[in-house]
Amino acid sequence: MEPAQPADRVPSDATPPDGQPPVGSTAGPTPPAGEPALVESSTGLAPLADAGEPALVEPVDGPARGGASAHPAVSGDQPAPPARREKSRAERSPRDMALSLLVLLVPIVLLLAFYRGFLGGDEPATVDPGPAVEQARAAGAFPVIRPEGLSSGWRTVSARYQAEPGGATLRIGYLTPEGRGAQLVESNVPADKLLPAELKGGQPQGAADLSGASWQRYTARDNEQALVLLEPNRTVIVVGDARENELRQLATALR
């Protein structure tokens, strides 16, 4: 009997048993020393890289190639310069704030100057009292008078004639040379109804020293005062917040 063989020992005799075909070894021939071993792949055998030679690898985009990375934080890219930060409002100097205000104020000043100088923005709108006076005279409800000889500082700002069942009234508004208001009221409405309506509860204060007619001084609404001329078929009122001397000037100019 032959002695027992180890289980992992490869028999030296490759001769198959009787009636069996020879079997090739699955292990290929051992490469000689110094030559690369062949590695089996799906397409065949490929030589392994020799020691000291780099292995062939698929090129990779990005940082592995040493190029620029798509991400800005990856090293290798040049860092972008920091954005210039504008000065906040707290960091602005008084000179910067003054210049900003000046830029805003200059157009406003120019517009105001143009509005006042060329468009007459401060001038009140004036009207022609002629049509209202002619309408009152044509109606013939009472004798109509109007001021004559007033200075150019007097400006007519309103004029209206209104006829009602109880009578008719002509009202003409003025702006005095001092820039105050005065109104001329002529009506044939009974005085006991007209005076409370026009003077808002005003009370007589005595005779006014005006030559040519018997005018009476009255208090009026708010801080106004009035001069009243009472006649049988007409009542004339000069009222406003103008000074008494201007009211007297308007009353004495009536013709």
Side-chain angles (χ1 to χ4, degrees):
M1 296 179 61
E2 295 181 359
Q5 302 277 338
D8 56 351
R9 179 180 177 183
V10 179
S12 59
D13 189 2
T15 303
D18 295 340
Q20 298 293 332
V23 179
S25 173
T26 58
T30 301
E35 294 185 6
L38 297 181
V39 180
E40 187 173 359
S41 65
S42 58
T43 57
L45 299 178
L48 294 177
D50 291 342
E53 295 183 2
L56 297 179
V57 294
E58 189 71 17
V60 180
D61 293 335
R65 299 180 57 186
S69 171
H71 198 284
V74 178
S75 61
D77 293 342
Q78 294 294 333
R84 184 177 181 181
R85 185 170 61 90
E86 296 182 356
K87 291 183 178 180
S88 63
R89 293 183 179 180
E91 296 176 350
R92 294 180 181 177
S93 64
R95 179 175 178 274
D96 294 337
M97 298 179 66
L99 290 176
S100 300
L101 290 176
L102 183 61
V103 170
L104 294 175
L105 289 177
V106 167
I108 297 176
V109 172
L110 293 177
L111 287 176
L112 288 176
F114 177 78
Y115 177 71
R116 293 181 177 180
F118 294 94
L119 302 181
D122 291 340
E123 297 295 327
T126 59
V127 301
D128 180 13
V133 172
E134 293 301 325
Q135 185 181 1
R137 287 175 175 172
F142 52 84
V144 177
I145 56 178
R146 62 182 299 181
E148 297 179 2
L150 292 175
S151 66
S152 59
W154 289 81
R155 288 162 288 184
T156 305
V157 295
S158 64
R160 185 182 65 170
Y161 174 75
Q162 183 177 6
E164 298 175 351
T169 305
L170 173 65
R171 293 182 177 87
I172 304 177
Y174 297 93
L175 190 66
T176 71
E178 294 184 4
R180 299 177 180 270
Q183 187 178 49
L184 170 63
V185 180
E186 302 177 41
S187 179
N188 64 346
V189 175
D192 58 346
K193 293 182 179 180
L194 181 66
L195 294 180
E198 297 296 329
L199 304 182
K200 302 299 182 183
Q203 300 298 322
Q205 302 296 312
D209 186 14
L210 292 175
S211 60
S214 300
W215 290 84
Q216 301 290 323
R217 297 172 54 250
Y218 274 74
T219 59
R221 54 186 178 270
D222 299 332
N223 62 337
E224 297 181 348
Q225 53 186 340
L227 298 174
V228 179
L229 177 60
L230 298 174
E231 295 181 343
N233 58 349
R234 177 187 65 180
T235 300
V236 180
I237 304 173
V238 176
V239 60
D241 63 352
R243 298 180 183 276
E244 185 176 354
N245 64 324
E246 289 184 320
L247 295 180
R248 288 173 176 268
Q249 183 179 353
L250 178 59
T252 56
L254 294 174
R255 301 289 185 271

